[in-house]
Amino acid sequence: MVADKAADSTKEDNKLDVLSSTRTVVKTALEKLGYPDEVFELLKDPIRMMTVRIPVRMDDGSIKIFTGYRAQHNDAVGPTKGGVRFHPDVTEKEVKALSIWMSLKAGIVNLPYGGGKGGIICDPREMSFRELEGLSRGYVRAISQIVGPTKDIPAPDVFTNSQIMAWMMDEYSRIDEFNSPGFITGKPIVLGGSHGRESATAKGVTIVLNEAAKKKGIDVKGARVVVQGFGNAGSFLSKFLHDAGAKIVGISDAYGALHDPDGLDIDYLLDRRDSFGTVTKLFNNTISNKELLELDCDIIVPAAVENQITEENAHNIKASIVVEAANGPTTMEGTKILTERGILLVPDVLASAGGVTVSYFEWVQNNQGYYWSEEDIDQKLHEIMIKSFNTIFETAETRRVDMRLAAYMVGVRKMAEASRFRGWV
Ligand SMILES: NC(=O)C1=CN([C@@H]2O[C@H](COP(=O)(O)OP(=O)(O)OC[C@H]3O[C@@H](n4cnc5c(N)ncnc54)[C@H](O)[C@@H]3O)[C@@H](O)[C@H]2O)C=CC1
Ligand SMILES: O=C(O)CCC(=O)C(=O)O
């Protein structure tokens, strides 16, 4: 009985293991494309993974040691690139999976990068500004040997922002004895940041959401939308869709969710949210994140954390379109159920690729020392997202595969080819 229970919980853990499910889809994508097994053996794990211990002097005088990671998935195409997450639930496996997803995104939007990702186990909501600066600088010192503008270029992710990027850039510039804006993206504009980077992820999501709505014959104006997460991705997205005439009937943060079938007052919520995307604490009549995802609506956008749509709730999703702004919000079983139910799923590696696309623009501008207007950035981003959506939608139709597998097939090809040309496999 005890053994049965243990086996059940291992099975459950495996279903929520984002690394093993990512590997499964990568393997299937490579098989469908006809690559030999050694290509999968190379791509199933990052080529480099660094674990670091970061001592930080806390405000009470004590020293706290934090654990951080930097994963570099594959650098056959070019330097690796991807965000750094500060979150209490960060794990080594999660960071590895996130780095593989970054490689796939770079392949989908055709950037000269491989994927990288970083994370630190911490809760920045409970840290002072000074402690966060110490942690950010300590992380850069610890990983400095493997990162750099031509090696691996970090960026923001969950609970990190342009201020943290600025501290990290400054620390790297001190080590490098050179001003190095191209070391990191998502910086404040005055330090070489790009117009449009802050809202880029949400803008990219909005573009593919519009394309998906056309395929489903849904008019975004008047559509009822649920957005999970009210941080960088979720809040800009809610604003863009609200301004386009959609009704945002639900939003959430880490503590709960808000629901109004007549549409929430997004401008008011934006005004009241804190820098960690928290807003529900101001209200009494909240619902749970679980209830949020089962609300009556046309479109759902998970824009928070992994494993939100699973075999437990995929049957109860009322929307006809799910657009994944978050990385990994739907499990493999969840994907299967949504696809079987005819729900159009726009997968994370496509939907959220607007962020890294504009990060690439930021890096190009830093390298050339000449800066583009927001209009230039918007137009380039628009072209890339539309083209990527169409390629993946057509691949799904012609190869008779679900949208996630189609996206992996499109995303994995360039790094597989580059690895073969280099003679690695
Ligand atoms: N910031 C970016 O440029 C990009 C972000 N993403 C992905 O989008 C998602 C959201 O990222 P950001 O908006 O940047 O982060 P953020 O830190 O700005 O906001 C995160 C939001 O998720 C909520 N949240 C945190 N833990 C949660 C939990 N356990 N359950 C429910 N909600 C929770 C927070 O309260 C907040 O509203 C992540 O999956 C991230 O990897 C993807 C591509 C680029
Ligand atoms: O902007 C970047 O370089 C990476 C963004 C990121 O971490 C992501 O797309 O998940």
Side-chain angles (χ1 to χ4, degrees):
M1 208 50 185
V2 175
D4 278 358
K5 257 197 179 159
D8 279 355
S9 83
T10 310
K11 239 189 202 168
E12 216 33 60
D13 288 350
N14 284 344
K15 280 183 188 160
L16 300 181
D17 176 346
V18 285
L19 180 59
S20 78
S21 56
T22 301
R23 283 180 181 148
T24 304
V25 190
V26 168
K27 191 172 191 345
T28 312
L30 289 167
E31 281 167 6
K32 290 249 172 221
L33 294 169
Y35 284 103
D37 204 39
E38 56 262 29
V39 179
F40 171 69
E41 285 302 312
L42 176 70
L43 300 182
K44 72 180 188 190
D45 253 321
I47 47 162
R48 210 168 290 113
M49 176 76 187
M50 195 170 191
T51 302
V52 294
R53 304 276 283 150
I54 313 154
V56 177
R57 181 161 311 271
M58 307 302 279
D59 288 347
D60 65 4
S62 66
I63 303 267
K64 192 167 172 189
I65 314 293
F66 293 87
T67 300
Y69 305 100
R70 186 73 194 172
Q72 299 175 341
H73 175 241
N74 181 281
D75 57 6
V77 170
T80 47
K81 172 115 192 68
V84 183
R85 174 174 292 202
F86 285 10
H87 198 280
D89 300 336
V90 163
T91 65
E92 189 176 332
K93 272 188 177 173
E94 180 196 41
V95 175
K96 284 184 176 179
L98 283 159
S99 75
I100 301 178
W101 294 332
M102 286 312 306
S103 285
L104 294 167
K105 286 186 209 192
I108 287 169
V109 289
N110 196 16
L111 307 179
Y113 291 139
K117 198 84 180 198
I120 301 178
I121 306 166
C122 65
D123 194 341
R125 293 165 293 189
E126 288 171 4
M127 294 172 70
S128 71
F129 219 57
R130 198 198 60 77
E131 289 168 344
L132 277 175
E133 177 174 355
L135 182 62
S136 307
R137 290 184 185 277
Y139 178 66
V140 169
R141 284 196 299 278
I143 62 167
S144 63
Q145 284 177 350
I146 63 162
V147 289
T150 56
K151 288 187 198 165
D152 180 16
I153 306 126
D157 191 67
V158 176
F159 293 163
T160 55
N161 55 26
S162 59
Q163 174 61 77
I164 290 175
M165 299 305 109
W167 288 325
M168 290 188 175
M169 194 275 265
D170 185 65
E171 191 64 27
Y172 186 82
S173 297
R174 286 184 196 190
I175 295 167
D176 199 32
E177 295 179 346
F178 223 86
N179 189 32
S180 304
F183 156 67
I184 204 161
T185 60
K187 301 177 292 292
I189 302 269
V190 291
L191 291 181
S194 176
H195 288 295
R197 174 59 186 92
E198 219 189 342
S199 58
T201 305
K203 215 164 253 179
V205 175
T206 309
I207 296 165
V208 293
L209 182 148
N210 274 303
E211 293 307 294
K214 280 187 217 157
K215 298 284 181 202
K216 281 283 186 185
I218 293 175
D219 192 350
V220 171
K221 191 167 179 218
R224 295 161 309 152
V225 184
V226 162
V227 180
Q228 186 190 37
F230 207 57
N232 174 277
S235 69
F236 277 111
L237 177 76
S238 300
K239 174 70 177 155
F240 292 149
L241 294 178
H242 172 74
D243 289 353
K247 229 192 257 181
I248 311 298
V249 295
I251 61 109
S252 78
D253 59 28
Y255 306 95
L258 302 175
H259 168 49
D260 185 343
D262 296 324
L264 294 158
D265 184 344
I266 294 302
D267 289 321
Y268 175 75
L269 296 175
L270 287 172
D271 194 46
R272 304 305 303 275
R273 78 177 194 121
D274 72 11
S275 62
F276 297 107
T278 308
V279 73
T280 64
K281 280 182 170 176
L282 300 169
F283 300 87
N284 292 323
N285 51 341
T286 54
I287 58 172
S288 66
N289 265 287
K290 186 173 178 294
E291 288 168 304
L292 174 92
L293 295 174
E294 298 183 11
L295 288 176
D296 204 9
C297 66
D298 304 301
I299 302 170
I300 292 185
V301 185
V305 287
E306 293 96 2
N307 293 329
Q308 298 302 297
I309 303 179
T310 67
E311 63 187 340
E312 303 289 323
N313 62 356
H315 284 292
N316 305 332
I317 300 283
K318 314 272 186 318
S320 40
I321 300 174
V322 173
V323 184
E324 296 181 333
N327 283 299
T330 312
T331 61
M332 276 199 336
E333 292 76 16
T335 300
K336 188 162 179 279
I337 294 166
L338 295 183
T339 307
E340 280 167 5
R341 292 184 57 213
I343 295 170
L344 177 52
L345 175 73
V346 186
D348 49 4
V349 288
L350 163 64
S352 72
V356 70
T357 302
V358 178
S359 273
Y360 165 61
F361 298 156
E362 181 172 332
W363 180 74
V364 169
Q365 293 170 86
N366 294 151
N367 291 345
Q368 67 186 7
Y370 177 78
Y371 288 80
W372 303 332
S373 69
E374 185 145 9
E375 292 72 39
D376 286 340
I377 303 270
D378 275 359
Q379 192 206 335
K380 288 179 173 54
L381 175 65
H382 201 264
E383 278 169 21
I384 290 175
M385 294 306 295
I386 300 261
K387 190 168 170 221
S388 306
F389 177 89
N390 286 330
T391 306
I392 289 168
F393 191 83
E394 280 158 23
T395 304
E397 297 233 299
T398 52
R399 301 297 296 261
R400 293 174 178 274
V401 296
D402 66 48
M403 285 285 282
R404 190 177 314 283
L405 181 52
Y408 276 49
M409 288 168 70
V410 173
V412 83
R413 194 192 290 265
K414 191 170 166 187
M415 73 180 138
E417 280 303 289
S419 300
R420 280 170 78 74
F421 271 121
R422 281 180 184 269
W424 291 354
V425 276

